[in-house]
Amino acid sequence: MIISEVELRLFANEVCESLLLKTEASRTTIRADIVSSGIDVDLALGEAVHQGVPKIASDGSLDQRSLETIKWLEMKRETLIQPNFNTAPTPPQALIDIYGVKAQMLGPVFVANVLVGWISVHSLEERLWKDKDVAVLEAYTDSVRIVLATFLDHLHT
């Protein structure tokens, strides 16, 4: 059971590293809102990148909750799979222009019916995500949901 913020961050980074390798992505992040611990979705809880790929974990310049893609996650409550950005929902322009992302998958993490966070899988190339990529993301999304729920329960006990 995760009982500290340090352990939660270590877990998030381990998930990101594993997901990066299994999906052959360019970057993976986990974002979460845990106000009582000072954890905010505008700064990534965990991140992994391939060599030469810029990190975004400490870039808090975007109001993540206001993004079209995140509003889509809240409304649809399912994994967002984007082989390119030719159709809505569109990601923030900074993700494309500054960080070079051309395709992504987002896995929503709901706890007690609230979107507490999400996992992002980015590619610097347009790509058709394979079924196995989606399955791996969804398995990790479920694991992160369980850990975040446990962490939140621990905070309230």
Side-chain angles (χ1 to χ4, degrees):
M1 171 173 35
I2 293 180
I3 57 170
S4 74
E5 182 183 335
V6 170
E7 291 170 309
L8 180 63
R9 289 184 184 279
L10 286 171
F11 168 78
N13 282 312
E14 289 171 5
V15 166
C16 287
E17 287 289 342
S18 182
L19 188 58
L20 184 76
L21 294 173
K22 290 181 178 182
T23 61
E24 299 176 359
S26 304
R27 176 190 306 106
T28 57
T29 64
I30 296 175
R31 295 182 181 272
D33 266 330
I34 306 172
V35 176
S36 59
S37 290
I39 297 171
D40 185 294
V41 293
D42 290 341
L43 299 171
L45 180 64
E47 179 179 43
V49 297
H50 276 292
Q51 186 173 356
V53 175
K55 291 187 173 196
I56 64 173
S58 61
D59 181 352
S61 63
L62 293 175
D63 176 2
Q64 294 286 324
R65 290 280 182 181
S66 72
L67 301 178
E68 187 178 329
T69 49
I70 304 313
K71 289 179 180 180
W72 186 97
L73 289 178
E74 285 193 289
M75 184 180 70
K76 297 287 187 172
R77 307 177 72 78
E78 63 187 45
T79 303
L80 174 60
I81 303 162
Q82 296 182 291
N84 54 53
F85 301 134
N86 296 336
T87 60
T90 55
Q93 199 60 43
L95 191 65
I96 299 164
D97 294 345
I98 297 171
Y99 296 106
V101 177
K102 295 189 175 151
Q104 70 177 350
M105 296 188 296
L106 301 176
V109 178
F110 285 90
V111 174
N113 217 22
V114 174
L115 181 67
V116 297
W118 54 90
I119 302 174
S120 303
V121 180
H122 295 156
S123 174
L124 301 188
E125 303 294 328
E126 289 188 5
R127 68 182 271 186
L128 292 174
W129 297 100
K130 299 174 185 167
D131 289 344
K132 76 167 189 72
D133 298 327
V134 176
V136 167
L137 171 58
E138 289 178 345
Y140 278 114
T141 299
D142 194 46
S143 295
V144 169
R145 180 191 57 75
I146 291 166
V147 169
L148 285 178
T150 302
F151 184 79
L152 288 165
D153 282 347
H154 176 75
L155 288 177
H156 297 113
T157 58

